[in-house]
Amino acid sequence: MMSEKITLSPEQKLGRIEEIVQAHPEVAGLQAYEYLRSNVKEQQVAFINGERDALSLDYKDLNPANIERLKGSMLLALKSLMSGEQNPKTRALYRAIEYRYSELFMLDMARIVNDDSYSEQERAQAREMFVSTNEALYGQPDRGIFSAIARKSLAPLLSGGDSDGTEAQKIRGELGALIGSIDQTDYELFVPSDEVMERVGALTRSRFDQLVDHIDTEKTYDVATMAEALDAALTKLGGKDLGWRVAIVPKSNVLAVSAHQKLVEVGENRKPAKGDELRGKALHEVGVHAGRSINALKAGWLSAAYGQDGYLDFEESFATALEDAFKGKFGDHGQNYYLIAGLAYGYDNHPPRDFKEVYEIMWRIGALKKAAGGQIEQSVLSKVKTAAFNNCMRLFRGTATTDKGVIYLKDLAYFRGQELVWRVLQNVHTQEDFDYLFAGKLDNTQEDHRLIAEAIILNRKV
């Protein structure tokens, strides 16, 4: 006897995909960087001291079991949708999962690149696919923007007037030999007006003063008290009632939010922070990154709770813009990351570079910026080398670090989204205008994302 054909209503189909995503939240909320943690800290000191020329990284989370588990959950969610689905929440969730599936493919290519059990030909093919998928997801660095940043940050350092024989003069000569020629460019680096900064600052303080007022500006917070302060902010925001929590992460200096894990992470190696700095970070991490997720989650939009496809540039820069507005000072974020990317790509009319080659340039830039009277203290030199190493590693994580021109481009979002966000904020004049920007983890410059924000706002006041 032929079984009766079952027709699912749109509501039932929506329920199926939501159940899968709720059971496996990383399906729609995968953050690739969470799988790119390595043993780099164990090698950092030896590398900086010149005791080793290359890094040998173990990405323990890049393993076939993790990849296959995630792939199975994503495909199950995508296949649960029937063709022609018209429910807007379902379509948005489908797009978010498709985007994460592309990130997962990129991670799988990174896994092969870093696994020497594969042949060199297989690893070379995986390397090419890693680069192309990476650029498709996060965007290739723009040569004109790189040139504008390089001219602003490098030209004054290379034309300094220290007398011969000083430490700074020696480093300046070395830097000049490592850098190629910088192209002329018409690109102008964006800076918001004082009026916009003041207006957005007032809106930001009105919204977030109560969220962070328990943080004492006269106090210095260590990791434990920092976590307690962030936990208190989560409670005020209503996140704790939805399962959000704060966790201290071993062997890390991270301060980050993972929306699909409902987690605010504080690295156990993070440096102590003064209260005024911590207020800004609480606003950034809890108020924006967690807050946008919580608002979408309350409205039932899982795609916007975990991050709609293409949201990243706006999300990262929105958080930093409001942190700047809260303090009343524009920070011009992400220029170092863009500089590193351009140097790796060889945008200074130089062949592409690997991790060590870019690091050798970046620590010298840092040292010259700190030079006083042509001299650089050893303690300062140590700090700038550590900073250069950490900044370069963010762009080279997931790679073998020895492949020239192969980098992880996610962090270009900090600079690229900056102008995007401030141009939106120029037209924000009321608290109601401001509220639309907190509806979910969205890019409010994209039409389909704006429609999602409207649907969330109309259902509930954020």
Side-chain angles (χ1 to χ4, degrees):
M1 176 179 172
M2 184 177 293
S3 61
E4 183 181 355
K5 184 177 180 180
I6 299 174
T7 302
L8 297 176
S9 69
E11 290 78 16
Q12 287 173 307
K13 285 182 283 184
L14 179 63
R16 288 177 65 187
I17 190 171
E18 285 187 331
E19 286 175 4
I20 293 166
V21 171
Q22 286 176 332
H24 307 280
E26 69 272 23
V27 165
L30 173 76
Q31 295 290 339
Y33 71 85
E34 293 177 357
Y35 293 85
L36 299 180
R37 290 165 179 160
S38 69
N39 59 338
V40 65
K41 286 297 179 185
E42 300 169 10
Q43 304 172 49
Q44 179 172 342
V45 173
F47 183 92
I48 289 174
N49 290 342
E51 297 165 10
R52 60 182 307 154
D53 290 329
L55 300 169
S56 178
L57 302 181
D58 176 23
Y59 299 97
K60 60 183 178 60
D61 293 324
L62 282 184
N63 59 68
N66 269 345
I67 299 293
E68 290 304 313
R69 173 180 58 82
L70 289 164
K71 186 184 296 183
S73 297
M74 287 184 186
L75 289 176
L76 181 63
L78 293 172
K79 289 177 180 177
S80 75
L81 297 170
M82 294 184 176
S83 61
E85 174 58 70
Q86 296 302 309
N87 188 297
K89 285 206 293 186
T90 304
R91 291 201 309 272
L93 192 51
Y94 187 89
R95 291 197 305 270
I97 296 170
E98 280 190 315
Y99 182 86
R100 293 324 195 280
Y101 193 78
S102 297
E103 285 194 294
L104 181 62
F105 176 79
M106 181 194 70
L107 286 175
D108 201 20
M109 294 304 98
R111 176 185 66 83
I112 294 172
V113 168
N114 287 282
D115 186 345
D116 58 13
S117 69
Y118 287 89
S119 69
E120 181 49 44
Q121 181 180 3
E122 289 172 318
R123 293 169 71 187
Q125 290 174 341
R127 192 178 302 119
E128 289 180 9
M129 287 187 281
F130 172 85
V131 170
S132 60
T133 308
N134 191 21
E135 290 180 346
L137 285 166
Y138 309 122
Q140 190 173 0
D142 180 271
R143 195 177 188 111
I145 294 176
F146 165 79
S147 296
I149 294 172
R151 284 186 168 277
K152 174 186 173 183
S153 59
L154 290 178
L157 301 179
L158 293 174
S159 60
D162 297 302
S163 59
D164 290 339
T166 66
E167 181 69 12
Q169 189 68 23
K170 174 177 177 292
I171 293 174
R172 179 173 292 112
E174 294 169 349
L175 179 62
L178 294 172
I179 296 287
S181 60
I182 308 300
D183 295 337
Q184 294 286 346
T185 180
D186 295 328
Y187 182 87
E188 293 186 11
L189 298 172
F190 178 83
V191 178
S193 69
D194 292 342
E195 185 274 327
V196 172
M197 280 289 291
E198 290 173 8
R199 171 161 35 90
V200 175
L203 288 167
T204 303
R205 288 186 290 275
S206 174
R207 188 181 183 99
F208 289 115
D209 271 348
Q210 287 188 329
L211 183 75
V212 301
D213 62 7
H214 62 281
I215 299 173
D216 187 348
T217 57
E218 301 299 318
K219 178 179 175 181
T220 297
Y221 289 77
D222 60 16
V223 168
T225 53
M226 196 182 303
E228 290 173 2
L230 294 171
D231 188 76
L234 263 183
T235 300
K236 290 181 180 181
L237 202 62
K240 297 293 290 296
D241 295 335
L242 295 173
W244 278 77
R245 60 193 176 89
V246 177
I248 296 175
V249 183
K251 299 179 181 179
S252 171
N253 61 0
V254 71
L255 183 58
V257 165
S258 175
H260 70 276
Q261 297 184 78
K262 298 181 180 178
L263 181 66
V264 179
E265 300 175 311
V266 184
E268 69 173 357
N269 298 329
R270 193 165 184 86
K271 294 178 180 178
K274 293 182 178 180
D276 55 351
E277 178 190 354
L278 185 57
R279 282 191 174 191
K281 294 301 179 187
L283 179 161
H284 180 125
E285 302 295 346
V286 178
V288 178
H289 288 321
R292 294 179 105 205
S293 178
I294 288 167
N295 288 330
L297 189 62
K298 288 178 178 177
W301 282 81
L302 291 181
S303 61
Y306 298 146
Q308 193 62 53
D309 53 301
Y311 80 107
L312 189 63
D313 284 11
F314 195 95
E315 171 83 11
E316 292 290 1
S317 297
F318 185 48
T320 53
L322 295 196
E323 187 178 353
D324 284 353
F326 185 76
K327 297 175 182 175
K329 183 179 180 181
F330 179 62
D332 215 3
H333 300 271
Q335 288 198 14
N336 270 348
Y337 296 151
Y338 218 103
L339 192 59
I340 290 166
L343 291 169
Y345 271 60
Y347 280 177
D348 57 331
N349 297 293
H350 185 283
R353 297 177 174 90
D354 61 18
F355 174 86
K356 180 173 173 56
E357 290 171 311
V358 178
Y359 162 78
E360 294 292 349
I361 293 172
M362 292 305 296
W363 79 252
R364 286 175 170 84
I365 291 173
L368 290 173
K369 287 181 177 179
K370 297 289 185 181
Q375 301 300 321
I376 303 172
E377 297 291 334
Q378 187 59 42
S379 60
V380 171
L381 202 57
S382 176
K383 288 179 181 178
V384 297
K385 287 185 175 183
T386 299
F389 183 97
N390 290 334
N391 283 336
C392 289
M393 197 63 238
R394 286 186 67 104
L395 275 293
F396 280 88
R397 55 185 161 169
T399 77
T401 71
T402 52
D403 296 322
K404 297 178 185 295
V406 180
I407 56 175
Y408 177 49
L409 293 163
K410 169 191 169 290
D411 285 340
L412 293 188
Y414 288 98
F415 178 85
R416 189 169 48 226
Q418 182 170 258
E419 183 172 351
L420 191 75
V421 166
W422 277 107
R423 291 203 182 280
V424 170
L425 290 172
Q426 285 178 158
N427 297 314
V428 172
H429 294 272
T430 67
Q431 202 68 47
E432 185 179 8
D433 293 339
F434 207 38
D435 283 346
Y436 270 88
L437 304 180
F438 292 90
K441 298 175 88 65
L442 303 163
D443 176 352
N444 292 72
T445 66
Q446 296 187 35
E447 180 62 25
D448 57 334
H449 289 217
R450 285 201 298 270
L451 292 174
I452 293 171
E454 286 182 13
I456 292 172
I457 291 289
L458 290 175
N459 274 336
R460 57 174 301 278
K461 183 173 176 60
V462 293

